[in-house]
Amino acid sequence: MKVAIQGEMGSFSHEAARRMVAGCSLVPCARSVEVFDRLERGSVAAAVIPIENSLAGSVTEHLDLLSARKVFIQREFRLRIVHNLIAVPGVRLGDVRRAFSHPVALDQCRDFFRHRPRIEPTPFYDTAGSVKHVIAGGLRDAAGIAGRQAAKVYKGRILASGIEDDKRNFTRFFLLRRRPSIVPGANKTSIAFRVKNIPGALFKALSVFALREISLSKIESRPLRGRPWEYVFYVDFLRGDDEPARNALRHLAEVSDLVKVLGIYPAA
């Protein structure tokens, strides 16, 4: 099975995909939109994307793409994230002046940079890709921040390990499919909805879950493109495809302008 991932081989998405889909053939993509394009076109059977980090929060671009594209969340997976500073063999920590990595990864290593002001955090498109860039370019004043697997794949040297701010650092990943497919044991649902801009609209929307004693595990908002100061709300709730959940979604549709089920899947 071909599975598209955001990032290079050796990335955290690579590791998550290997754990979620045994024996899969991975298709690395430099940009997130390419992952969704490949899945919608059918050139891959599935895709794996990071959606939320316990330190840095949500990957907002992926929330927007989930809302806009015709894809379905089939599974979720939580991966413990350990960040390492990786350089060309022979380079010492004192030589490093720039550290490349994905912005979300850099945001998880604030304390590292605060204690080493000589090293400038430099955004890059991918964690493992930053290591590939440093090693391929033979950069002796730079390093990449990525997982241990990236050092192995690109033959880099780990200068510092475990540089994330908190050891309870996890990233949640989604396994996406083109069409809705609910696997056995699905007990969690992700949705996106938009309410009318009137007093009490959000209260009424959330009350459909409270009335049925459905627990929400997450809620956040994102700006609605093309409609300034209007928002889409993203909610995860702890029910699968059962009668209370279906009734709540029907009720939500009555008080909202838009309701989209993003996925129904087993909670990790």
Side-chain angles (χ1 to χ4, degrees):
M1 176 192 297
K2 287 186 177 181
V3 178
I5 61 170
Q6 191 272 318
E8 299 283 352
M9 302 300 284
S11 66
F12 293 111
S13 293
H14 172 186
E15 185 175 348
R18 290 293 190 191
R19 296 196 190 187
M20 296 174 81
V21 188
C24 62
S25 174
L26 298 181
V27 180
C29 302
R31 298 184 302 144
S32 298
V33 69
E34 183 185 350
V35 174
F36 284 80
D37 287 343
R38 284 181 177 273
L39 183 58
E40 283 193 320
R41 290 198 307 262
S43 62
V44 295
V48 169
I49 60 165
I51 193 64
E52 181 184 15
N53 177 263
S54 58
L55 299 182
S58 295
V59 183
T60 55
E61 180 184 9
H62 292 173
L63 286 177
D64 294 341
L65 286 166
L66 282 171
S67 178
R69 300 300 190 94
K70 294 180 179 179
V71 299
F72 193 81
I73 304 163
Q74 189 180 61
R75 292 188 183 276
E76 72 169 355
F77 178 76
R78 292 177 183 174
L79 181 68
R80 168 76 169 89
I81 303 298
V82 179
H83 286 303
N84 305 276
L85 189 72
I86 304 169
V88 173
V91 170
R92 297 174 301 175
L93 181 58
D95 300 327
V96 176
R97 293 294 178 267
R98 295 173 293 161
F100 295 97
S101 198
H102 191 280
V104 175
L106 295 174
D107 201 34
Q108 296 166 34
C109 304
R110 294 178 186 176
D111 290 343
F112 175 83
F113 291 110
R114 184 165 63 248
H115 291 108
R116 294 165 182 81
R118 293 182 303 171
I119 301 178
E120 179 185 359
T122 307
F124 204 74
Y125 75 92
D126 179 47
T127 52
S130 71
V131 176
K132 180 180 179 181
H133 172 71
V134 168
I135 302 301
L139 306 181
R140 304 194 67 83
D141 66 341
I145 294 177
R148 183 171 292 271
Q149 182 65 18
K152 183 178 179 180
V153 170
Y154 301 110
K155 297 180 171 52
R157 179 190 176 197
I158 296 177
L159 301 180
S161 60
I163 65 173
E164 64 276 7
D165 293 347
D166 192 304
K167 302 310 173 188
R168 293 166 296 181
N169 184 27
F170 294 87
T171 293
R172 187 163 64 119
F173 291 84
F174 282 154
L175 175 66
L176 307 179
R177 298 280 194 168
R178 270 197 302 166
R179 296 183 179 86
S181 175
I182 303 174
V183 300
N187 59 354
K188 188 175 182 180
T189 301
S190 292
I191 64 171
F193 69 90
R194 185 176 73 240
V195 296
K196 298 178 176 64
N197 189 16
I198 56 176
L202 182 58
F203 172 82
K204 291 178 182 178
L206 296 181
S207 69
V208 309
F209 302 105
L211 289 170
R212 296 167 178 86
E213 297 187 340
I214 295 176
S215 178
L216 306 186
S217 60
K218 180 182 178 182
I219 179 170
E220 68 178 281
S221 63
R222 289 284 298 148
L224 181 61
R225 289 196 172 191
R227 298 176 68 169
W229 321 124
E230 295 187 33
Y231 301 87
V232 175
F233 292 90
Y234 293 87
V235 164
D236 293 345
F237 63 85
L238 301 180
R239 295 301 287 250
D241 186 26
D242 58 16
E243 185 175 359
R246 289 192 291 269
N247 286 338
L249 291 174
R250 280 193 288 267
H251 193 175
L252 180 62
E254 294 173 2
V255 298
S256 303
D257 286 341
L258 168 74
V259 178
K260 180 181 181 181
V261 176
L262 305 175
I264 304 172
Y265 49 92

